[in-house]
Amino acid sequence: MQKEFEQVIADNQGRIRYIASRYCQHNDFEDMYQEILMQLWRSFASFKGNSSRETWLYKVALNTATTFVGKTIKRRELRQALAKVAAPEGQIGQENCQADILNAFMNTLSDIEASILMMYLDGLTSENIAEVVGITANAVRVRIKRIKSTFEDQYIGEES
Amino acid sequence: MKFDDLKTGWKTEVEKTGKQQDLTRLVESLEKETKKLDKSIKRRDIMEISIALLLIPVWAWKLFYSASLLQTIGLWIAIVACIYIPYKLLKARQVESAKDDSLLAFLSVEKSKLEKQKELLETIAIWYLSPLMVAIVLITAGSKVDDAGVPQISEQLMVYYLFCGVLYVGVYFLNKRAAKKKFAPLLDRVNQQIQELKSLNNV
């Protein structure tokens, strides 16, 4: 089981790190990352393969991240507010690589929307995303459409 | 740039693994940490219950040598409190299991867990401090009474009561502060996320 788990971590380290960094401040990062790993390890034995490995991973990671007792709940709200202020329309075009644009855009979204977007970009189906967050697949599709349209308003509109 | 081009950005982020880790050592330490944490939770539960339960025979034994009615009442209150306090703590930890393992179901269970913990801290004066305080006062005051059953409170005892009173107020406010600082923001956040998820379903 240990070897199998090592493989899961090796394959998903980037995802887990991204989720941890999205949900906390820099000084809480290692704590949250470890907490997610611990919860993954705890639930790995009971993971029976009823859902895909990605779905399981997102469920455990997001459940842990959303209720992580960090010192920074208020500061995270502040970060979101700052991201909106710090990325006024004129500056948006200055981001030159897609990863930077992704990160800047992610910071303007709520945690739930950011989670949905992460899973969408990771190739999970609407049904799988719905299973992770506990809403209907139709609601997921509607939300993705809205996120897409917000993105297009902010970024594509600037290019033209 | 199109929306789906973000997938490339996502791929770059996900492939950025940060510092290389010795995974075998990481999993070993995870296993060790998990066991340590489970043990400490178990130890805490046993300590909380056993201290209270071990005190019951002491109070019961004292009942046979009670100096007054006042002390007898105090001892009975202490016995009842020693049964009620662990019961209250254990009850607060019992939460209904989630109907599935989705984020919404998980948050609903977390909400009920947090509400119970918050309530426990906010009402500590009722279920913990007051019964123990009353028991202490009655047991000590009832230990020395005159022929008419009126307690004879010495100066030393007065200082002791003052000390207990300060402790009572201190513990009460520390718990109240913990409920406000630790649980209230987290509860607000959980509530906000539940509302957001529910509103998504209503679209």
Side-chain angles (χ1 to χ4, degrees):
Chain A
M1 191 173 95
Q2 194 169 322
K3 285 278 158 219
E4 214 181 323
F5 187 70
E6 277 174 33
Q7 194 53 50
V8 173
I9 300 302
D11 294 343
N12 295 287
Q13 236 180 108
R15 277 184 192 85
I16 302 167
R17 282 188 173 273
Y18 194 89
I19 294 169
S21 67
R22 174 64 182 77
Y23 275 84
C24 70
Q25 293 289 315
H26 184 68
N27 54 347
D28 274 343
F29 175 79
E30 284 302 327
D31 285 347
M32 185 185 275
Y33 180 62
Q34 280 169 25
E35 183 65 27
I36 294 175
L37 288 183
M38 207 180 257
Q39 294 307 326
L40 285 170
W41 170 248
R42 270 182 196 281
S43 66
F44 188 64
S46 57
F47 171 61
K48 296 178 187 79
N50 294 336
S51 51
S52 74
R53 193 157 272 180
E54 266 115 359
T55 310
W56 163 77
L57 186 120
Y58 271 110
K59 273 180 190 170
V60 178
L62 291 176
N63 287 358
T64 310
T66 46
T67 49
F68 179 75
V69 189
K71 306 149 207 162
T72 52
I73 288 172
K74 279 183 184 161
R75 274 184 272 162
R76 187 163 61 218
E77 280 159 13
L78 180 68
R79 187 189 62 177
Q80 271 181 3
L82 281 173
K84 283 178 183 157
V85 178
E89 286 165 30
Q91 286 177 17
I92 285 167
Q94 290 171 12
E95 282 123 3
N96 47 13
C97 92
Q98 283 152 335
D100 287 345
I101 294 175
L102 172 70
N103 288 330
F105 182 57
M106 278 281 192
N107 281 340
T108 64
L109 300 176
S110 73
D111 287 342
I112 303 283
E113 285 176 327
S115 310
I116 291 175
L117 179 59
M118 275 182 228
M119 289 183 273
Y120 170 78
L121 297 176
D122 218 0
L124 265 73
T125 63
S126 300
E127 283 72 21
N128 283 339
I129 300 173
E131 193 191 322
V132 174
V133 290
I135 58 175
T136 64
N138 193 41
V140 171
R141 281 188 282 270
V142 171
R143 184 53 50 173
I144 290 170
K145 219 172 161 183
R146 285 198 186 162
I147 295 172
K148 199 173 174 176
S149 121
T150 310
F151 177 80
E152 284 168 356
D153 284 350
Q154 279 186 20
Y155 292 86
I156 301 176
E158 282 298 308
E159 282 180 357
S160 55
Chain B
M1 185 187 171
K2 288 179 186 151
F3 181 66
D4 278 354
D5 289 341
L6 286 180
K7 284 181 179 169
T8 318
W10 171 254
K11 213 168 161 239
T12 315
E13 284 296 315
V14 163
E15 281 166 5
K16 234 190 332 187
T17 50
K19 54 187 172 191
Q20 282 302 310
Q21 291 174 320
D22 178 350
L23 288 178
T24 309
R25 241 179 88 188
L26 174 78
V27 175
E28 274 170 10
S29 68
L30 275 179
E31 196 175 3
K32 226 160 119 186
E33 274 300 308
T34 314
K35 276 185 187 159
K36 211 167 109 184
L37 197 71
D38 288 345
K39 257 189 196 166
S40 76
I41 291 171
K42 218 176 196 173
R43 204 179 305 133
R44 183 202 64 190
D45 287 352
I46 291 171
M47 281 283 278
E48 275 172 4
I49 297 167
S50 57
I51 287 175
L53 293 182
L54 282 172
L55 279 171
I56 294 174
V58 177
W59 305 132
W61 175 75
K62 282 278 274 177
L63 269 176
F64 291 106
Y65 305 96
S66 175
S68 64
L69 178 67
L70 217 57
Q71 194 171 46
T72 306
I73 295 169
L75 288 166
W76 275 113
I77 292 173
I79 291 171
V80 174
C82 284
I83 298 167
Y84 184 69
I85 291 169
Y87 162 78
K88 180 91 179 164
L89 286 170
L90 289 176
K91 202 163 171 261
R93 272 183 215 135
Q94 286 170 352
V95 279
E96 47 184 297
S97 53
K99 61 180 167 71
D100 55 56
D101 53 2
S102 70
L103 184 60
L104 183 58
F106 175 80
L107 288 172
S108 303
V109 172
E110 278 299 304
K111 183 186 165 184
S112 116
K113 218 194 282 184
L114 288 168
E115 278 171 347
K116 279 186 181 181
Q117 294 292 326
K118 189 169 168 268
E119 193 244 68
L120 210 61
L121 292 181
E122 282 171 345
T123 58
I124 196 162
I126 299 166
W127 63 272
Y128 189 88
L129 296 173
S130 295
L132 287 183
M133 185 74 181
V134 171
I136 287 169
V137 169
L138 292 180
I139 291 169
T140 48
S143 64
K144 208 174 177 191
V145 290
D146 62 15
D147 292 342
V150 177
Q152 306 294 300
I153 296 168
S154 64
E155 242 173 63
Q156 248 177 337
L157 209 53
M158 289 291 270
V159 174
Y160 176 65
Y161 289 156
L162 192 72
F163 171 73
C164 288
V166 171
L167 201 68
Y168 178 106
V169 174
V171 173
Y172 173 74
F173 279 108
L174 277 177
N175 279 278
K176 197 109 178 147
R177 190 168 167 262
K180 199 179 161 196
K181 293 246 172 197
K182 190 177 165 191
F183 290 102
L186 195 57
L187 198 56
D188 284 348
R189 201 175 136 59
V190 168
N191 272 327
Q192 183 199 327
Q193 304 230 23
I194 290 174
Q195 287 314 313
E196 191 178 340
L197 283 168
K198 283 185 176 166
S199 74
L200 290 184
N201 258 343
N202 294 333
V203 184

